[in-house]
Amino acid sequence: MTMTMTEQMLADEGCPAMTAKDYRSDVKPVWCPGCGDHGVLLALTKTLAELQLAPEKVSVVSGIGCSSRIPAYLNTYGFHGVHGRSLALATGLKVSRPDQTVLVAGGDGDGFSIGGNHFLHACRRNVDLTYIVMDNQLYGMTKGQASPTSAPDWEKGKLTPGGTGINPFHPLVVALASGANFIARVSGTNANGAVPILKEAIEHPGFSLVHVLSPCITYNREQLDWKKMVRPAPVEATNDPGRAARRLMTDDNLNLGVLYKGDRAPYQPDLRSRGVSVADLEAPFQV
Ligand code: SF4
């Protein structure tokens, strides 16, 4: 088996390879037993181990919500940020520290409602980030209100008896139209199945969206049925935005795999060649 460059360096230095456990912190998740976010945490640690990324070379930035607790459970750098602002934070981090692998994590409410504007512009800018959205079509941490991806007739939302009556937001279509360079979907109930896709998303240059079907068993138990309903996407990933648009517009939210893989160059301004340092950028904000 061929070793990655990092594996080779670790071997040369006599270091044992990193395992999934090495990426877990000693903080115990407070998620409900059976929540899909447990599967995402497991998949992420396995992916980082496959990539043999040094924990200090990885930053995980999140917003607010159940899934946004994930940085606390990882042994990498983490930033549990402000509601809906994870992509703005992560963009600043990646632009000023291109040596870091920057992952962004959160839920559908955080990312598509409060952070909706940041989502559009992160896709458009195409900074090299991997955005993992654990979508359970509701706000779990505030006890089950409808979110932008809730079905219009979902009647259990605390503030929307009878359903919202509003068509759900389609994150993958919006991501493609806004310029995202990689679009995939995985299941939070199949960690091993998610690993190769997360790995590909992290390795792909530019802005990658990984949409995770992550059931909330407390406020929408029917989502456990996703496990039986999902299927591998019937066709290979395309790099043609026109073909991808046709696929995504007719997507029923249950196709797993890489759905679009673009070849747009990432946006990475070279601040050093412009004579700009992080200290210069911070100076106007000193109090
Ligand atoms: Fe997961 Fe839902 Fe529990 Fe939040 S409320 S931890 S989303 S199962």
Side-chain angles (χ1 to χ4, degrees):
M1 197 173 71
T2 322
M3 281 201 245
T4 64
M5 196 188 293
T6 317
E7 281 170 336
Q8 187 66 60
M9 282 165 61
L10 289 167
D12 289 348
E13 289 166 18
C15 302
M18 304 283 293
T19 68
K21 262 187 175 171
D22 295 320
Y23 296 93
R24 275 282 283 114
S25 74
D26 52 9
V27 180
K28 193 168 178 285
V30 295
W31 294 318
C32 309
C35 173
D37 298 351
H38 290 283
V40 178
L41 177 62
L42 179 61
L44 202 47
T45 56
K46 288 185 171 202
T47 304
L48 294 172
E50 286 230 351
L51 291 167
Q52 286 292 293
L53 290 168
E56 69 272 17
K57 287 286 180 192
V58 180
S59 297
V60 182
V61 181
S62 71
I64 297 292
C66 292
S67 53
S68 285
R69 296 180 190 271
I70 205 163
Y73 308 142
L74 291 161
N75 194 22
T76 61
Y77 284 117
F79 196 119
H80 191 174
V82 186
H83 208 1
R85 305 295 179 256
S86 57
L87 286 168
L89 285 163
T91 299
L93 172 60
K94 183 66 186 179
V95 167
S96 55
R97 287 292 305 270
D99 56 308
Q100 285 279 303
T101 295
V102 182
L103 313 178
V104 195
D108 40 301
D110 182 77
F112 304 143
S113 183
I114 300 96
N117 192 35
H118 292 294
F119 177 57
L120 299 182
H121 293 284
C123 295
R124 180 176 73 87
R125 280 191 198 100
N126 199 30
V127 171
D128 190 13
L129 304 170
T130 302
Y131 188 29
I132 302 161
V133 182
M134 289 159 258
D135 189 352
N136 53 22
Q137 304 175 356
L138 54 82
Y139 287 88
M141 202 169 80
T142 47
K143 302 199 183 304
Q145 297 84 2
S147 83
T149 52
S150 300
D153 56 354
W154 182 61
E155 293 187 351
K156 292 183 187 157
K158 299 268 185 214
L159 298 179
T160 50
T164 63
I166 304 170
N167 276 352
F169 184 83
H170 198 322
L172 281 61
V173 171
V174 174
L176 180 74
S178 307
N181 213 28
F182 181 100
I183 298 172
R185 184 183 291 115
V186 302
S187 165
T189 55
N190 181 359
N192 287 338
V195 170
I197 295 165
L198 282 169
K199 192 173 165 211
E200 206 172 333
I202 293 170
E203 289 183 320
H204 194 75
F207 185 83
S208 299
L209 171 67
V210 181
H211 182 231
V212 188
L213 293 174
S214 186
C216 173
I217 60 134
T218 300
Y219 295 109
N220 193 348
R221 209 172 166 76
E222 290 81 12
Q223 291 177 345
L224 283 174
D225 291 345
W226 283 344
K227 199 173 178 176
K228 292 176 261 166
M229 295 160 71
V230 291
R231 62 183 98 79
V235 287
E236 292 289 302
T238 175
N239 65 353
D240 176 349
R243 283 183 61 204
R246 283 191 290 280
R247 287 182 66 178
L248 295 178
M249 285 299 289
T250 53
D251 181 86
D252 64 359
N253 220 28
L254 297 167
N255 291 313
L256 305 182
V258 180
L259 305 171
Y260 174 69
K261 207 169 166 179
D263 41 26
R264 203 155 69 91
Y267 176 68
Q268 181 62 57
D270 184 356
L271 297 180
R272 286 194 189 113
S273 74
R274 293 184 196 171
V276 180
S277 70
V278 174
D280 293 334
L281 294 171
E282 284 177 349
F285 300 98
Q286 295 292 343
V287 286

